[in-house]
Structures are given as C-alpha cells and as structure tokens.
Amino acid sequence: MKQQTKKPKYYFSNRDLIVIAVLSGIGGVMSTYIGYLGNLLNRIFGIPFGAGQFVSGLHVFWFILAAGLIRKPGAATTAGLLKGVIELLTGSTHGVAIILVSLLQGLLVDVVLMITRRHNLGSYMLAGGVSAASNVFAFQILYFSGAPIAYILLIALIAFVSGVLFAGSFGHSVLEIVLQARPFRA
C-alpha cells in the first residue's frame, strides 16, 4: 500500500509572492525618486523637512494594491518589508530607516483592513491615510528634529490627505481596473 504524502500548504501562493515582489520592486524604485522629489520640494519651500508629505501617499499606493490583489492579511506588511529593502538598495535618502518605515506603513495598511474587514473605497482611503501619516511620526522617533508639535501635526495631516487621495482613492481606482480585466484567473 502506497502512503500518500501531502503537499505542504503555504500561506502565500506563488502567484501571491510574485505579485508582492513585482509591486514592491516597482514601488521601491519609484519611492526612491519620490524621496528625491520630496527633498526638492523642501528646498523650494525653504524648510528642512515636511514639504514632501504632499506626495507621501504615493509610497503607500503599492501596499494598497498588494492588499487589494491578494486579499490576505500580511500581504501589505510583506510588500512593505520588501519595498523598504529595495528602496534602500536603490539609493533612498533615508538609509536603513526606510526599511522600518516601509514595514510600519505596510503593517498599518493590513491592520486597518483587518479592523474594517472590508476591501472598499472607504477602508482603502482610511488605510492609505493612516499609513502615509505614520511616516511623519516614525521619522520623528528615529531622528527627533525638535520641531514644534503643531508643525509635526500639520505635516502629518498633509501626509494623511495625500494617503487618502494617492494611496486610497487612486489605489482603489487602479484595483477596479485591474480586477475588471481579471488578469489573475485561476
């Protein structure tokens, strides 16, 4: 009598891992340039940091896509870790700290989506906003700048709005287009 061996069941399928890798790769490279754009905005406005928060939602956009395409808790967190490593390797202005910040942002997307238990426009907007704003506080903890709390809250609000618009709303729109095309049929 032949003994049957069970194939191990993994949490993420190969398809899930490929989607995470591709989105993290594109997001990591793009975020490096978005970081440089943020530094340019800081110089234009004549402030040491914060002006780049207008585009901070673009960093989180990739986590919303990963979460929306895979629909498993942990997808955005995994994408965050990998995106952070790729961003570091492509020359991020933030150095090693970007790995922690990206990981935190991906984790927050997963947490918000688990709490809301929905994958809709509202939950993506909330997840995008919270995640994008978190970088302001994370960088303050890592590199305390001594900036006034009112200024920190202002740039966090700007980052939140950017996350709502660029990560949540734009991410939801892109997901609708991609899911209508059904590229991942089984």
Side-chain angles (χ1 to χ4, degrees), residues 109-128:
V109 167
D110 277 332
V111 167
V112 170
L113 293 177
M114 283 191 306
I115 290 170
T116 62
R117 291 194 228 161
R118 295 198 177 6
H119 282 265
N120 60 23
L121 177 60
S123 60
Y124 289 144
M125 290 171 74
L126 180 61

Side-chain angles (χ1 to χ4, degrees), residues 10-140:
Y10 297 104
Y11 184 68
F12 289 124
S13 69
N14 287 340
R15 176 190 100 38
D16 296 341
L17 293 173
I18 290 169
V19 168
I20 289 170
V22 168
L23 292 175
S24 298
I26 296 168
V29 171
M30 295 296 293
S31 286
T32 299
Y33 293 103
I34 292 167
Y36 287 115
L37 174 64
N39 285 346
L40 177 65
L41 290 173
N42 289 338
R43 287 198 175 130
I44 289 170
F45 287 107
I47 53 177
F49 67 92
Q53 296 308 318
F54 286 110
V55 293
S56 66
L58 296 174
H59 296 289
V60 179
F61 168 78
W62 308 100
F63 309 142
I64 297 293
L65 287 184
L69 290 173
I70 295 170
R71 304 271 174 131
K72 291 179 185 173
T77 304
T78 306
L81 177 62
L82 185 55
K83 178 189 159 288
V85 169
I86 292 167
E87 193 172 345
L88 170 70
L89 295 175
T90 56
S92 170
T93 59
H94 300 297
V96 170
I98 200 60
I99 296 172
L100 293 173
V101 173
S102 289
L103 177 64
L104 173 65
Q105 289 178 316
L107 176 66
L108 287 172
V109 167
D110 277 332
V111 167
V112 170
L113 293 177
M114 283 191 306
I115 290 170
T116 62
R117 291 194 228 161
R118 295 198 177 6
H119 282 265
N120 60 23
L121 177 60
S123 60
Y124 289 144
M125 290 171 74
L126 180 61
V130 168
S131 181
S134 72
N135 87 79
V136 173
F137 301 106
F139 282 124
Q140 288 305 304

Side-chain angles (χ1 to χ4, degrees), residues 135-167:
N135 87 79
V136 173
F137 301 106
F139 282 124
Q140 288 305 304
I141 291 168
L142 293 171
Y143 303 116
F144 179 73
S145 67
I149 191 71
Y151 181 68
I152 292 169
L153 292 175
L154 174 66
I155 62 174
L157 177 63
I158 292 168
F160 181 86
V161 171
S162 176
V164 165
L165 297 175
F166 291 132

